[in-house]
Amino acid sequence: MTTMLDRATTPATPDPPARLSLTPRGVRPGRLDGAWWPRSRDLLLELPALAADIDGRWGRVTRITVNPAQWPVIPRRIPVAGHTVHAGWFTTEQDEHTIAVFSYSPLRLNLLVVPPETDAVDAARLMAEAADPAGTRTASDLLAAGTDGGAAGPVSRSDFLPSAVAPSGGAGEAATRAEVARSRAASWSVPA
């Protein structure tokens, strides 16, 4: 006997909620609007939970920009609950430890991206500091000052793709860069 599974009837595993901390609404934010602590460096897996959380609070997410230093692969379009989020990147214009989230509102949120391998204590502190309306530090400054040599240890530059490996317009060059990103991502430790 053959059993056919239909995606519409097969229960999907719910995405875990986004680990997100935002400056309270109605309060003028500091340099950052909050922080996001993804579980991996895969935008296709991580963005749906972030978009769902932000959609409910701030309006439908329409696009994001990142610095490719933290993301091995940056897809142009990312499907999220009922719509598509367009993704872009900046190598020098955007801090490598931030994600800019844009919505229909029109609203732009600049969020610190806490590295997935960061331990829970450091991540909680970084998220609170990034959501502080009185905060004046950049995302890179927070991360540089935020490592105390704990279990995850300081974030080293070797864990990130160099900005020179940013996506470009050339199809062959982009494929080569994606392969470099995949091989480097395969060596990253997976947080528990």
Side-chain angles (χ1 to χ4, degrees):
M1 180 166 141
T2 303
T3 304
M4 300 294 287
L5 296 176
D6 182 4
R7 286 189 111 169
T9 60
T10 304
T13 306
D15 291 330
R19 299 183 291 189
L20 179 67
S21 174
L22 295 174
T23 301
R25 197 170 196 151
V27 175
R28 184 177 178 158
R31 186 170 278 206
L32 296 166
D33 298 298
W36 173 46
W37 185 23
R39 290 172 174 79
S40 73
R41 295 181 190 277
D42 186 340
L43 281 173
L44 286 171
L45 290 175
E46 298 296 332
L47 193 64
L50 177 65
D53 198 332
I54 291 176
D55 282 358
R57 296 185 200 191
W58 299 96
R60 179 176 265 189
V61 173
T62 57
R63 64 189 171 101
I64 63 152
T65 62
V66 295
N67 185 308
Q70 286 214 32
W71 305 101
V73 177
I74 303 169
R76 293 254 187 212
R77 292 177 186 85
I78 302 167
V80 298
H83 68 286
T84 300
V85 173
H86 297 272
W89 60 86
F90 294 101
T91 56
T92 57
E93 297 88 353
Q94 185 169 340
D95 186 313
E96 69 182 90
H97 301 289
T98 62
I99 182 171
V101 181
F102 301 86
S103 75
Y104 279 126
S105 311
L107 178 71
R108 174 185 172 151
L109 296 173
N110 291 314
L111 303 175
L112 164 71
V113 177
V114 178
E117 63 276 359
T118 305
D119 68 62
V121 173
D122 282 340
R125 184 186 45 70
L126 287 166
M127 292 176 79
E129 287 181 30
D132 183 358
T136 59
R137 295 163 86 184
T138 67
S140 289
D141 290 344
L142 283 172
L143 285 171
T147 55
D148 63 358
V155 178
S156 70
R157 288 291 302 152
S158 64
D159 289 343
F160 299 106
L161 289 173
S163 293
V165 185
S168 72
E173 191 175 358
T176 302
R177 289 179 175 157
E179 186 56 23
V180 168
R182 278 188 216 96
S183 66
R184 191 169 280 178
S187 68
W188 289 336
S189 61
V190 177

